[in-house]
Structures are given as structure tokens and as C-alpha cells.
Amino acid sequence: FDKFQPMIDLRAGLLASGVEDPFGLVMEKVLSPTVAMCNGRETILLGTYNYMGMTFDPDVIAAGKQALDDFGAGTTGSRVLNGTYQGHKEVEEALKAFYGTSGAMVFSTGYQANLGMISTLAGKGDYVVLDADSHASIYDGCFLGDAEIVRFRHNNVEDLDKRLGRLPADALKLVVLEGVYSMLGDVAPLPDMIAAVRRHPNCMILVDEAHGMGFFGPNGRGVYEEQGVEKDVDFVVGTFSKSVGTVGGFCVSNHPKFEVLRLVCRPYVFTASLPPSVVATAATSIRKLMHAGEKRAHLWKNSQRLHKGLSDLGFRLGTETPQSAIIAVILTDQTQAVAMWQALLELGLY
């Protein structure tokens, strides 16, 4: 445990300064998608990814309760053994309808979807080319698959093009992009990036739309739909823990051999499948998100309002204009950030 001592000391120093444990917050009671009881205080939830408020949708809750009664609490098995129930097929059908794809594969978490897809598609001798600011699950997928990792500067099309040009022409390359980057809330310039990728041989493109699903595009499919590059993307990975309002991950694709992944993707083959109640809530939520134009418009209006309000107050934000539902406030150092977090929490804002 000596290698963790810096983290132990950091946490101890924070607690010694008088703040509550930033990593120990408990929501004692959740009153709605936007309000909870935290540390005995009624608190506005401004730090969740419940973009569409689906966690308390009556139809979603009813579907989960019914599945719990009909199928029990869990499957006690993986998808390739005894873990595929009717609900798992239904949520995959809902995803195919939502994304307009021929294939859909559901994982137990969004993290696992990236871990499984990347490690299976790109192995030893292959290359994964990714944005330097990529999510941890993307990096971990590279490590599990033992592929060579090539990073390019964040959202830099020229650097992406240059690094692809340095790789062997006959090598297989998986280029992993994200629609919305979760730290700053900025959006990828996908058309320019895809044009750069297509100048090089043996490349496939995977786009993570965890934070774009539900919010972007005429059908809510994500940034890649909003920017008109649906036909140029080979794989789309997403999660149920943001707009869908529950837990789980997925990949959708039109690749003709997509189904073989169910037999060769180790994080899929060897993980217990999602409980019936979870896939029932997910399927119901996804079907409702297909007709959520008003919710999308409302969320965009809220994002613009929050961004403008914070800008007018003089805060430095992650983007000059609102690009997504993530509005990042850039502070000067860790001490200030923790003090701000503590003060807001005491005032009833998470």
C-alpha cells in the first residue's frame, strides 16, 4: 500500500482542513431527478448525468417493477450462459430502433462496453489512436487488448492526421473519438477528424457517445448524428447511466460480422448480465427518448442559461460558448476547488 501513500496523505490533509469527505457524500433520500437529501439537507442536484430526468419517469419505474415481479432480482449468469432473458433482447431491439443499426450489444456498464469493444477489436500488433483526453475506460481497453497506444493532442485534427501517417500502412488501426468530452464539456469536430482518418488505410472508427446520447441530433443519437457523419462511423459506444437514467453499456454497429463479438469479447462473455429490472427500465427509457425533442430543447436552454449566468458572474468556464450539457468551472487550485465544493454543499447545491 506504500504506492498509495500520496493519495492517503492528500485525503487526510483535506479532512484536516475541516471539509467533509469529498468522496464520501451520501444521498440519504432522493426526492426527484433534481433534488435529494444530502447530509440532512435538501440539496439541488447540479452534478448528476441524469440529463433527461428519466430516473423518476413513471413508465420507466413501472417497467422495472413489473420485470422484478416477473423475472426476479437477477440472472446469476453471463449473457452466453443463462443470463439472456427476454428483456435483454428487448433492450437490444430498442437500441437498434433508436440508432437505426442492424446490430446492438449490451454490456453491464458503459465502462465495460469500452473495455470490451476496444480490447477485442485491437490486439497485439494493432494500434489504438485516441485523443489524449480520452476517458479511463478507453485507456483501460487498450491495456487489456495489448494494443499499441498512440495519443494525439486533444481535438487536434492536424495532429491526428500526422500521427496516423507515421504508422505502418498495413497495420490495423482503431481510432477512438468521443462526441462530448466529460471534463470540459467540449465537442469533437467529427467531420474533420473522420476526413483525416479516411486518408489512411486499414482504419476503423469508434465514437463514444456517452454524454451525447439523448441530447444531440434530430433523433438524440449523439454528436455524430448532429454533425452528419453517421455513415462514416463503424461503432458507437454508449451508456445507460446518463440520459437513459439507469445502468449498463452498449455498442451499436452496422458491421455485417458484428454478432461474432458475443463469442470473442471477454468482458461480455465472462460478466454476469444486467438484472431484468434494469434492462426493462432501459428499454422503456430508450423508446421514450426517441420522442424526446421537447426534453432536448429544454436541456439545451438550461445549459445556455447556466453558461451565460456563470460567465456574467465572472467565472472562467471550460468552453467559451455552451457546447453540451456539461458546464465546467475552472478554478485556480485544489484548495479553492474543495472550499467551493464545501460552501456550495452547505448552501444546498451539489
Side-chain angles (χ1 to χ4, degrees):
F1 281 75
D2 288 351
K3 62 180 175 290
F4 303 125
Q5 196 60 44
M7 182 63 74
I8 294 170
D9 294 341
L10 176 63
R11 182 171 180 269
L14 288 174
L15 296 177
S17 70
V19 302
E20 297 175 30
D21 186 355
F23 313 109
L25 181 84
V26 176
M27 295 189 188
E28 293 114 19
K29 188 173 183 182
V30 181
L31 305 175
S32 77
T34 55
V35 180
M37 296 298 294
C38 301
N39 300 330
R41 291 185 289 265
E42 189 168 297
T43 303
I44 296 171
L45 301 177
L46 202 65
T48 80
Y49 291 127
N50 193 9
Y51 294 135
M52 296 294 182
M54 299 304 285
T55 51
F56 275 84
D57 182 272
D59 295 332
V60 170
I61 291 175
K65 287 180 176 178
Q66 189 64 53
L68 201 57
D69 287 340
D70 293 346
F71 292 97
T75 67
T76 70
S78 73
R79 286 292 304 275
V80 296
L81 295 175
N82 60 295
T84 295
Y85 287 14
Q86 181 62 27
H88 296 88
K89 303 303 292 182
E90 287 179 7
V91 75
E92 288 176 341
E93 289 302 316
L95 281 167
K96 287 191 278 189
F98 185 90
Y99 281 97
T101 57
S102 58
M105 198 170 152
V106 166
F107 294 81
S108 296
T109 65
Y111 170 93
Q112 192 194 35
N114 269 332
L115 191 72
M117 289 302 301
I118 295 168
S119 65
T120 306
L121 292 170
K124 191 173 182 63
D126 301 332
Y127 293 86
V128 179
V129 182
L130 48 76
D131 190 294
D133 285 7
S134 290
H135 190 266
S137 60
I138 294 172
Y139 276 103
D140 290 352
C142 300
F143 299 141
L144 182 63
D146 201 22
E148 295 289 331
I149 302 175
V150 178
R151 300 172 182 84
F152 62 90
R153 289 197 298 277
H154 178 55
N155 269 351
N156 190 308
V157 177
E158 184 180 339
D159 196 40
L160 168 62
D161 190 20
K162 183 171 66 177
R163 292 180 186 277
L164 280 170
R166 292 173 179 168
L167 301 180
D170 60 345
L172 300 177
K173 303 121 187 156
L174 179 67
V175 180
V176 181
L177 308 169
E178 293 182 64
V180 178
Y181 287 86
S182 60
M183 289 297 99
L184 299 180
D186 52 338
V187 168
L190 294 178
D192 293 340
M193 288 184 153
I194 288 170
V197 172
R198 294 307 181 206
R199 286 196 284 269
H200 303 275
N202 295 318
C203 294
M204 297 194 90
I205 297 172
L206 181 150
V207 176
D208 183 328
E209 287 286 1
H211 295 277
M213 181 188 186
F215 190 25
F216 290 89
N219 299 294
R221 291 170 182 167
V223 174
Y224 83 115
E225 182 192 29
E226 176 93 6
Q227 297 184 357
V229 293
E230 282 185 278
K231 294 181 180 178
D232 301 304
V233 172
D234 299 296
F235 306 98
V236 175
V237 166
T239 181
F240 296 157
S241 60
K242 310 295 186 285
S243 289
V244 179
T246 180
V247 69
F250 64 88
C251 180
V252 295
S253 175
N254 284 315
H255 196 288
K257 298 180 181 179
F258 184 72
E259 282 296 309
V260 73
L261 292 176
R262 296 186 195 275
L263 306 178
V264 295
C265 177
R266 291 173 65 84
Y268 178 90
V269 171
F270 293 102
T271 300
S273 65
L274 287 168
S277 56
V278 170
V279 289
T281 58
T284 304
S285 178
I286 291 164
R287 291 190 193 103
K288 295 195 77 167
L289 288 177
M290 293 175 74
H291 311 286
E294 289 186 9
K295 281 182 177 286
R296 285 195 284 278
H298 183 64
L299 179 59
W300 187 240
K301 184 179 177 182
N302 283 349
S303 295
Q304 292 171 321
R305 179 184 176 193
L306 180 60
H307 191 285
K308 184 179 187 304
L310 291 171
S311 295
D312 290 348
L313 287 169
F315 285 102
R316 178 184 165 214
L317 304 183
T319 57
E320 291 185 8
T321 57
Q323 294 187 21
S324 69
I326 297 172
I327 309 298
V329 179
I330 312 299
L331 301 175
T332 55
D333 54 45
Q334 182 176 269
T335 303
Q336 185 192 45
V338 173
M340 179 81 78
W341 174 87
Q342 174 81 20
L344 288 172
L345 200 58
E346 289 174 356
L347 293 166
L349 184 71
Y350 176 70

